[in-house]
Amino acid sequence: MNARSLLLAVGALAVAGCPGDDGPPNANPPRLWLALDGSEIQVRLVTVEPPPF
């Protein structure tokens, strides 16, 4: 890899790691729960508390 390619790769990684200004600063939900997803052995993350199972 020549120096120009290396510089472009490092620049692309730096830009990819920067958050955008179009979203809220904390887009992750404060809490996640495991909920059943169609069967008793498959689960998924949900943002609202599921009924007890």
Side-chain angles (χ1 to χ4, degrees):
M1 210 191 270
N2 60 21
R4 181 181 171 132
S5 297
L6 183 60
L7 184 61
L8 286 174
V10 170
L13 288 174
V15 170
C18 296
D21 290 335
D22 56 350
N26 188 6
N28 293 328
R31 185 179 297 177
L32 293 172
W33 287 272
L34 285 175
L36 294 178
D37 191 23
S39 81
E40 63 226 17
I41 59 171
Q42 295 177 339
V43 295
R44 61 187 166 108
L45 292 173
V46 295
T47 57
V48 295
E49 187 173 7
F53 48 89

